[in-house]
Amino acid sequence: MQKLFVDFIPEDKIILNEEQSRHISKSLRMKAGDMLTLSCQDGSDYGCIIDEINSGIVTLSVCYKQANNSEPTVNVTIYQGVPKGDKLEDVIQKCTELGISALCPVLTRRSVSRPDEKSAKKKQARYQKIALEAAQQSGRGIVPEIMEMTSLKSVAEKDTAQLKILFYEGGGERLKDIIPDGVTSVSVYIGPEGGFEKEEVELLREKGAIIASLGPRILRTQTAPVAATTAIMLLTDNM
């Protein structure tokens, strides 16, 4: 069933705004009598029926409410070294589908792409929209937060996750050996093209990060977070 995220608790009759109505009627080509799911990130899904589409505006009625069962038991935050081009868009889309809770673009010493503040704000808005669309497509119960671009030192100081994992091409622990039963929050650090410098690895190690490996093959910066998220979800019984 198609899903739409809203910023209010759905009750009784609902009139969608122009953008939402256009998405339902034009992009999805839905019509009166069709069912869709609304979610407001409260942990519930609201099954709704389209009553009418009048002058391009969609009116719905709530038919039922049920708990959303698509969210994982572990909150995974990706701290992604800012890559070149549009690679981060793919990372956000795929990792949202896989179940991450948040993603933060991180400026590291080897990050080639360094947008100014205005460009970074514009990119953040686009990234959040990509996360929204991916969450709707995949039936998520929440839309992952796409954080502001920031420095590695800053996120290392503020990270309070139970388990912090730094994936490093220099080798490290196997994932299955470091993920404890019942873990509820995991931070994943992925380097940009060229990876992390040794000083950055030491900084994260000092802040409690465990150095881990994704195997003997060196993965691209846009492949590593997808592989890491998949493995974590599997090892925590969320796949």
Side-chain angles (χ1 to χ4, degrees):
M1 190 182 297
Q2 297 290 344
K3 169 165 280 194
L4 189 69
F5 283 91
V6 294
D7 58 1
F8 56 85
I9 296 177
E11 295 179 341
D12 301 326
K13 295 286 185 179
I14 299 162
I15 299 176
L16 299 180
N17 62 34
E18 290 185 9
E19 182 179 356
Q20 293 166 336
S21 294
R22 184 167 55 251
H23 177 67
I24 292 297
S25 62
K26 300 297 184 182
S27 299
L28 299 179
R29 298 184 181 278
M30 299 183 76
K31 58 186 184 298
D34 288 344
M35 296 288 296
L36 71 154
T37 302
L38 296 187
S39 179
C40 60
Q41 307 210 96
D42 66 347
S44 298
D45 286 336
Y46 298 81
C48 301
I49 189 170
I50 299 177
D51 292 329
E52 64 176 353
I53 302 176
N54 188 7
S55 299
I57 299 300
V58 176
T59 302
L60 310 170
S61 289
V62 177
C63 299
Y64 61 86
K65 173 185 176 181
Q66 65 183 21
N68 178 277
N69 60 5
S70 67
E71 287 305 303
T73 58
V74 59
N75 292 324
V76 176
T77 299
I78 302 290
Y79 292 100
Q80 172 71 48
V82 178
K84 295 182 289 186
D86 59 1
K87 296 174 184 175
L88 190 55
E89 296 183 5
D90 288 336
V91 171
I92 291 168
Q93 182 189 66
K94 303 309 179 189
C95 289
T96 294
E97 293 175 15
L98 288 165
I100 65 165
S101 299
L103 183 144
C104 181
V106 178
L107 289 170
T108 70
R109 294 185 180 183
R110 294 179 180 174
S111 293
V112 175
S113 177
R114 294 181 176 274
D116 57 32
E117 185 176 353
K118 183 178 179 180
S119 297
K121 286 286 186 182
K122 187 176 180 179
K123 285 178 178 290
Q124 183 186 11
R126 172 164 173 73
Y127 294 153
Q128 192 65 67
K129 184 177 181 181
I130 290 170
L132 169 64
E133 292 173 348
Q136 290 179 164
Q137 180 275 323
S138 58
R140 293 287 305 274
I142 67 162
V143 180
E145 177 189 3
I146 307 303
M147 305 178 193
E148 292 184 2
M149 192 175 298
T150 188
S151 69
L152 182 64
K153 182 178 180 180
S154 178
V155 298
E157 294 286 347
K158 298 175 182 178
D159 188 358
T160 60
Q162 283 180 290
L163 177 63
K164 306 172 187 178
I165 305 173
L166 166 63
F167 288 102
Y168 186 49
E169 65 272 16
E173 302 290 331
R174 295 187 303 174
L175 264 182
K176 67 178 184 179
D177 295 331
I178 63 174
I179 295 183
D181 292 338
V183 65
T184 58
S185 60
V186 178
S187 291
V188 173
Y189 289 86
I190 304 289
E193 297 90 348
F196 290 110
E197 292 194 351
K198 289 184 178 180
E199 292 82 359
E200 294 172 320
V201 173
E202 288 306 312
L203 168 66
L204 291 169
R205 194 200 299 269
E206 289 173 5
K207 296 300 180 181
I210 298 174
I211 311 303
S213 169
L214 283 168
R217 294 159 297 280
I218 297 176
L219 305 182
R220 293 180 184 272
T221 185
Q222 69 269 36
T223 306
V226 177
T229 303
T230 302
I232 291 169
M233 291 301 168
L234 182 62
L235 291 169
T236 56
D237 291 327
N238 285 293
M239 290 195 83

